[in-house]
Amino acid sequence: MTGTMTQDGVATAGTTAAVLEIEGLCAGYGRIQVLDGVGMSVGAGEIVSLLGPNGAGKTTTLLACSGLVKISGGDIRLDGESLLRHSAHVIARKRLAHIPEDRSLFPSLTVDEHLRLCARPGGLDVLELFPELKKRRNKKAGVLSGGEQQMLALGRALVTNPQVLLVDEMSMGLAPVVVERLFAALRDIAVTDGLAVLMVEQHIHLALKYAQRGYVLSGGRVRTRGTAEELVDRWSEIEASYLGR
Ligand SMILES: Nc1ncnc2c1ncn2[C@@H]1O[C@H](COP(=O)(O)OP(=O)(O)OP(=O)(O)O)[C@@H](O)[C@H]1O
Ligand SMILES: [Mg+2]
């Protein structure tokens, strides 16, 4: 493997340098600091899991990347360019897609309308990728099942032709079989298109099955990191020492 050493000292899986780099990130809400020097990186074609207990700062890390929380220190770089001087609406036009926990779909817009509104040159043909969505292309998002809605949320991100995809709790409220279908699709896209994926996930074992690497966040700091295999092997130790379970 011709991997690359990134800022936080972790070799990326592919041959390219990290596409998303977070370094010494301090961020929070108003005067409350939540993240305290968080560092991580995601390479092209790589799926990286962000794990940790409730309130660890996982969602805050993703929000910081999208310019949606106040950053008081450190840096976030997309393809080498610092995002810190940009506001959220400028970041939204860059090749960074964010699927928030609540999916943020428009219930009265159809599948087709969602995809057409967001499509950008070079974006994936999502209806070919997900035949389930093609069959429902004229249905309103509000009448789709939870799994179909998550598929649409993923599809809407993929039509924007992102370099980096941030996913917050894809599995929320979904049956494991549906989650596996979505993760498998994501893995295929990461491999074929070189998409860099940073995913927050509560289903630790599912997350580590599809991710190459992971970071465990607790109390706003990265407590441990490693390859998926390393984290699976050490999980009971990690749970006991950082997660207090
Ligand atoms: N809008 C907000 N205003 C103030 N504090 C917030 C806000 N959102 C989150 N927090 C606080 O920031 C901390 C980290 O929250 P965050 O949502 O990032 O955690 P998380 O790791 O995503 O947790 P979960 O697994 O429950 O989703 C928590 O203590 C939370 O109470
Ligand atoms: Mg969260």
Side-chain angles (χ1 to χ4, degrees):
M1 186 180 83
T2 50
T4 317
M5 268 328 221
T6 61
Q7 284 288 337
D8 65 347
V10 176
T12 59
T15 51
T16 48
V19 192
L20 179 70
E21 292 170 288
I22 301 174
E23 194 185 322
L25 182 65
C26 298
Y29 305 90
R31 276 182 290 172
I32 305 165
Q33 182 172 309
V34 173
L35 303 181
D36 183 16
V38 166
M40 59 187 65
S41 65
V42 191
E46 200 183 24
I47 299 185
V48 171
S49 264
L50 184 48
L51 307 164
N54 294 125
K58 306 182 298 293
T59 294
T60 304
T61 303
L62 299 195
L63 291 174
C65 293
S66 291
L68 295 169
V69 295
K70 193 169 150 243
I71 293 169
S72 51
D75 201 3
I76 303 172
R77 288 182 295 274
L78 174 66
D79 210 13
E81 184 205 8
S82 176
L83 295 178
L84 257 50
R85 60 193 174 87
H86 298 302
S87 57
H89 73 274
V90 174
I91 295 173
R93 291 201 297 267
K94 295 190 176 286
R95 293 183 64 197
L96 178 129
H98 186 165
I99 306 177
E101 206 170 335
D102 66 3
R103 296 166 191 148
S104 297
L105 298 172
F106 300 101
S108 59
L109 294 189
T110 65
V111 167
D112 252 349
E113 285 166 342
H114 274 93
L115 299 177
R116 273 193 279 118
L117 267 176
C118 298
R120 291 191 205 157
L124 284 179
D125 186 344
V126 164
L127 295 180
E128 288 309 309
L129 190 69
F130 296 126
E132 299 94 322
L133 283 183
K134 196 172 187 175
K135 273 192 265 168
R136 292 165 183 77
R137 63 190 299 171
N138 295 315
K139 291 243 185 289
K140 291 185 171 163
V143 304
L144 299 178
S145 72
E148 290 160 0
Q149 287 187 7
Q150 192 60 284
M151 196 173 274
L152 176 56
L154 178 56
R156 185 178 60 172
L158 295 173
V159 294
T160 67
N161 189 24
Q163 271 182 302
V164 172
L165 177 62
L166 310 172
V167 192
D168 204 344
E169 310 245 8
M170 178 115 93
S171 65
M172 182 68 87
L174 302 182
V177 61
V178 178
V179 181
E180 293 232 28
R181 163 87 175 91
L182 296 173
F183 280 177
L186 210 43
R187 184 178 54 192
D188 291 346
I189 295 157
V191 169
T192 53
D193 291 11
L195 179 66
V197 181
L198 180 60
M199 65 175 189
V200 170
E201 192 45 66
Q202 294 280 358
H203 276 270
I204 291 152
H205 290 284
L206 260 187
L208 293 176
K209 177 175 165 187
Y210 288 92
Q212 283 90 52
R213 292 191 297 113
Y215 294 83
V216 182
L217 212 60
S218 177
R221 292 183 182 184
V222 174
R223 305 293 174 168
T224 192
R225 64 189 184 207
T227 65
E229 294 78 17
E230 285 164 355
L231 294 177
V232 167
D233 287 347
R234 294 179 51 209
W235 197 256
S236 40
E237 172 211 328
I238 292 166
E239 273 192 319
S241 61
Y242 303 127
L243 314 184
R245 287 176 189 152

